[in-house]
Amino acid sequence: MQSNVVFMPCIDTGNGRSNPYIYSIKSWEKWCKKNECELVVLDKLLCDIDYMKITWQRYHALDILENSNIEYDQVLMVDADTIIHPDCPNFFEMTEHKLVGVHNEGSYDWVCRSMENYHKFMFTDSDIPFSFWEYINTGFIIFNKNHKQFLNEMLQFYKDNREKIIGIQEQFHVGTCQPVFNYLLRRKNIDYKLLPYEFNMCDLTRKEILDNDLTMTKVGWIYHYNAIPQEFQKSYGDVQYWMEKTYKYLYG
């Protein structure tokens, strides 16, 4: 029987970064059970991260599910530094069976730098085919079998352009897979839909809603603990602190 699947890469690479992600897994387990979905956690590397970062390896999601004999309808690929509210609406019912993402509502310096430099050095054949307010954060992407070819094209594009992609990242400190995803999505004319910020709440500190009152839990559904400045973490708590605090507040 086909079910909707939440696919989460959560791999311990030995640097301690994945320690707080247990709270992400727990929250998604509870939401999936409530909404009759299946949670699948990718906890092993498919190849050496020096060759391909985890952010790229995750695009093998459909191959992994099929090789594991997991039948699926739609798949949410979500980052492990997220916590979902127990009352979050079932976003699988909002997709119209399109590819779905959420605009990257965060550092527009970083977004524009990613767009401009990938356009200058890689996607040079036309004008930038989207605006910065349409740029999608790949920490929350829903797709289905109709998008398998697109995911494979993403992976092939990386293999064909690996050195150039890594060079752009290292020189300009831009996204890993995210700029490529946004360009190829438009180049391949993939029909997509955007959900509002509430479903991938990035850059919580910049919005001034990551606080002791956990204000973000009053205004949205999925909290993405990314781009938290080191100075903020030293003064108010690190990712471990905030993910644990949020989970215990929401789930007890």
Side-chain angles (χ1 to χ4, degrees), residues 4 50-51 108 115 123 145 163 168 172 206 217 226 252:
N4 293 318
D50 288 336
Y51 173 74
Y108 286 119
M115 292 171 58
F123 296 95
K145 290 182 175 68
E163 291 185 6
I168 293 172
F172 301 105
R206 187 171 280 108
T217 64
N226 66 341

Side-chain angles (χ1 to χ4, degrees), residues 21-237:
Y21 299 166
I22 184 63
Y23 298 106
S24 177
I25 293 173
K26 287 181 177 181
S27 73
W28 284 98
E29 282 177 340
K30 293 179 184 297
W31 185 88
C32 285
K33 183 176 181 180
K34 179 179 179 181
N35 290 275
E36 300 182 333
C37 303
E38 183 172 355
L39 175 65
V40 175
V41 177
L42 174 64
D43 59 3
K44 292 182 175 60
L45 292 171
L46 303 178
C47 62
D48 194 301
I49 56 175
D50 288 336
Y51 173 74
M52 178 183 282
K53 292 181 181 293
I54 296 169
T55 49
W56 278 99
Q57 293 187 36
R58 61 184 173 169
Y59 289 94
H60 284 288
L62 298 186
D63 292 324
I64 292 170
L65 295 180
E66 290 167 8
N67 290 335
S68 302
N69 296 316
I70 297 173
E71 297 186 13
Y72 62 90
D73 180 18
Q74 300 180 91
V75 178
L76 165 66
M77 185 174 73
V78 67
D79 282 356
D81 56 348
T82 58
I83 286 181
I84 185 168
H85 194 290
D87 296 330
C88 177
N90 190 337
F91 38 76
F92 287 117
E93 298 174 353
M94 306 174 186
T95 66
E96 302 171 32
H97 234 62
K98 298 178 181 180
L99 187 146
V100 168
V102 177
H103 164 56
N104 194 106
E105 181 71 45
S107 170
Y108 286 119
D109 167 67
W110 184 76
V111 167
C112 291
R113 226 178 331 118
S114 298
M115 292 171 58
E116 291 166 0
N117 285 294
Y118 271 86
H119 179 251
K120 181 177 180 180
F121 296 103
M122 184 160 286
F123 296 95
T124 59
D125 55 345
S126 64
D127 294 334
I128 298 176
F130 55 96
S131 300
F132 69 88
W133 60 83
E134 300 171 302
Y135 188 87
I136 293 171
N137 179 283
T138 51
F140 178 101
I141 299 290
I142 302 174
F143 43 76
N144 56 62
K145 290 182 175 68
N146 294 329
H147 304 115
K148 187 172 183 178
Q149 180 178 342
F150 174 66
L151 300 185
N152 288 338
E153 289 171 343
M154 278 280 296
L155 291 166
Q156 189 60 50
F157 188 89
Y158 177 83
K159 294 172 184 176
D160 293 342
N161 299 278
R162 175 179 172 274
E163 291 185 6
K164 196 169 186 178
I165 290 171
I166 292 174
I168 293 172
Q169 291 166 7
E170 292 178 346
Q171 184 174 357
F172 301 105
H173 306 286
V174 293
T176 54
C177 67
Q178 202 158 262
V180 175
F181 176 90
N182 276 276
Y183 274 102
L184 288 186
L185 184 71
R186 279 77 180 195
R187 176 179 279 186
K188 301 295 182 180
N189 294 315
I190 304 298
D191 192 15
Y192 70 94
K193 178 179 179 179
L194 292 179
L195 292 183
Y197 177 71
E198 289 89 333
F199 291 94
N200 186 9
M201 299 175 69
C202 297
D203 277 16
L204 296 168
T205 54
R206 187 171 280 108
K207 300 295 187 300
E208 299 182 354
I209 53 178
L210 183 63
D211 53 27
N212 282 323
D213 293 328
L214 298 177
T215 301
M216 73 280 190
T217 64
K218 315 296 191 296
V219 296
W221 302 114
I222 298 172
Y223 321 111
H224 198 162
Y225 298 83
N226 66 341
I228 302 178
Q230 288 299 317
E231 300 259 337
F232 181 93
Q233 294 191 46
K234 290 177 183 177
S235 300
Y236 302 105

